Amino acid sequence: MTVRIGIVGLGKILDQYLATFDRLPQAQVTAVADLDAARAEEVAAQVGARALSVEALVSDPEVDVVLNLTIPAAHAEVAHAAIAAGKPVYTEKPLAATATDAFGVLEAARAAGVRVGGAPDTVLGAGIQTARAAVDAGRVGIPTSATATFACPGHESWHPNPDFYYQAGGGPLLDMGPYYLTTLVTMLGEVASAVGVAGAAHETRTIGSGARAGQSVPVDVATHVTGILTHAGGAISTVVMSFDTAGTEAPKIEVHGTKGSLSVPDPNRFDGDVRLRAQGSPEWVVLEPSAGDIPGGRGIGVVDMMTAGDEAGVRASGELALHVLEVMEGMLTSAETGRAVPISSRVQRPAPVPLTRS
């Protein structure tokens, strides 16, 4: 099956998707669109596609699925345009700027009978899938807790236009949280309630590279968020997402259970060592890859969505992306109100990915 892909939004993440599509024989980019018409023409010439307007792309008969790589504020608008044209749509994280918008996207998709998927698809790689397989096999016993930590100084040191990281819809939680929370849900199941505290160390950030180096960017969002998530299955996850640190030596993700502990690789990658330490053992043991897509790559979720036998088989699904977005919003709402926030959306853990070399 050839999956003909139309891409809307041609920013920095595009090259990673194109690299994946270039090596997958079933993926073919047939059309591209961007607010910058010259950029669209450039990319179209690069990949052998056509440069179209968004309106023309979503209705084009040679596009099977719309890949939505626009900025978060435009995610819902582009998704609705694709759905209205009867096209499945796969959206970069987060699924929409708000959970309310994301609910609306899924309702429209159900009414139209089309599929919706959402990043991250890093959870389909061998790193996270091998960790999940270890949990499913009972290697840690009954999971009781997990930790997830992302901490850095912020992206303004390397990104020439970092403004959106510090505007509504940005911040470390909405930027990096989807990788970590999607991994936690994949391994431990859906979240029933969320608690959060949040703050910001600086009122402005200074751009460190590019044509705008030295300019100040106002900070309108929390740049350090700590949350406690109660999974429906009983496990408790502690989450730290921060742009307010010089660095950290904290593990990316750990899962602890009644029989052992699991060190999980970077959820922003598709690979990495999975290490297990059994109760009573003095050593961590590296587990051989036993599940997941090798080598992975951003975009495998698009092909997975389109080739799944039915909607329930879509692994990087819109329902999963919505659930993670609602959990993140719940953490921020809890930080404002001082109360635990129940999570209303429900999602089944996606089907495991067998060990494959795509």
Side-chain angles (χ1 to χ4, degrees):
M1 173 185 180
T2 298
V3 179
R4 299 175 299 178
I5 304 164
I7 305 176
V8 180
L10 309 176
K12 292 181 72 68
I13 197 68
L14 173 68
D15 286 346
Q16 295 186 49
Y17 279 89
L18 293 181
T20 300
F21 297 149
D22 187 54
R23 66 173 178 77
L24 294 179
Q26 64 269 55
Q28 178 185 1
V29 178
T30 57
V32 297
D34 193 86
L35 291 176
D36 183 342
R39 171 63 174 160
E41 293 287 351
E42 174 190 1
V43 173
Q46 173 189 340
V47 301
R50 291 164 298 135
L52 304 175
S53 67
V54 174
E55 295 77 13
L57 184 148
V58 299
S59 60
D60 192 281
E62 295 185 15
V63 170
D64 298 320
V65 58
V66 175
L67 173 57
N68 183 3
L69 303 184
T70 56
I71 62 173
H75 282 179
E77 179 182 356
V78 172
H80 277 293
I83 292 165
K87 296 290 173 64
V89 59
Y90 182 97
T91 298
E92 247 302 330
K93 50 83 183 170
L95 187 63
T98 68
T100 297
D101 289 343
F103 272 111
V105 168
L106 292 187
E107 288 177 356
R110 281 191 287 268
V114 299
R115 296 179 181 181
V116 173
D121 53 7
T122 48
V123 293
L124 308 184
I128 303 306
Q129 287 293 315
T130 296
R132 180 216 170 122
V135 172
D136 289 352
R139 303 290 294 272
V140 300
I142 299 171
T144 56
S145 66
T147 60
T149 303
F150 171 82
C152 77
H155 298 330
E156 66 276 7
S157 63
W158 60 269
H159 199 296
N161 295 292
D163 309 59
F164 69 95
Y165 288 115
Y166 301 103
Q167 297 170 352
L173 180 59
L174 291 178
D175 176 40
M176 297 303 297
Y179 299 107
Y180 291 78
L181 270 62
T182 303
T183 298
L184 291 174
V185 172
T186 295
M187 291 193 297
L188 302 176
E190 65 187 12
V191 175
S193 69
V195 173
V197 291
H202 308 284
E203 295 182 352
T204 62
R205 297 286 180 129
T206 302
I207 300 175
S209 64
R212 299 173 60 203
Q215 291 185 18
S216 291
V217 174
V219 174
D220 298 326
V221 295
T223 49
H224 183 100
V225 182
T226 298
I228 299 174
L229 312 179
T230 302
H231 295 264
I236 299 171
S237 292
T238 303
V239 178
V240 176
M241 297 285 122
S242 183
F243 285 166
D244 289 343
T245 65
T248 181
E249 292 184 338
K252 301 293 185 183
I253 296 178
E254 289 184 336
V255 176
H256 308 285
T258 56
K259 292 183 179 179
S261 295
L262 198 67
S263 177
V264 182
D266 187 346
N268 195 20
R269 296 174 55 89
F270 291 85
D271 56 7
D273 286 343
V274 179
R275 299 184 301 132
L276 174 69
R277 183 169 178 175
Q279 285 283 8
S281 172
E283 297 181 349
W284 292 87
V285 177
V286 176
L287 303 182
E288 289 294 323
S290 60
D293 188 288
I294 299 174
R298 281 173 170 79
I300 60 174
V302 180
V303 175
D304 180 79
M305 179 182 79
M306 294 299 292
T307 57
D310 55 30
E311 189 172 352
V314 177
R315 294 181 174 94
S317 67
E319 287 77 11
L320 177 56
L322 163 64
H323 183 71
V324 167
L325 178 55
E326 188 189 1
V327 171
M328 293 189 296
E329 281 194 359
M331 291 167 62
L332 295 174
T333 298
S334 174
E336 294 177 356
T337 63
R339 300 188 182 95
V341 174
I343 305 304
S344 64
S345 61
R346 293 290 172 260
V347 64
Q348 297 294 317
R349 287 202 306 160
V353 180
L355 187 63
T356 55
R357 298 182 183 274
S358 63

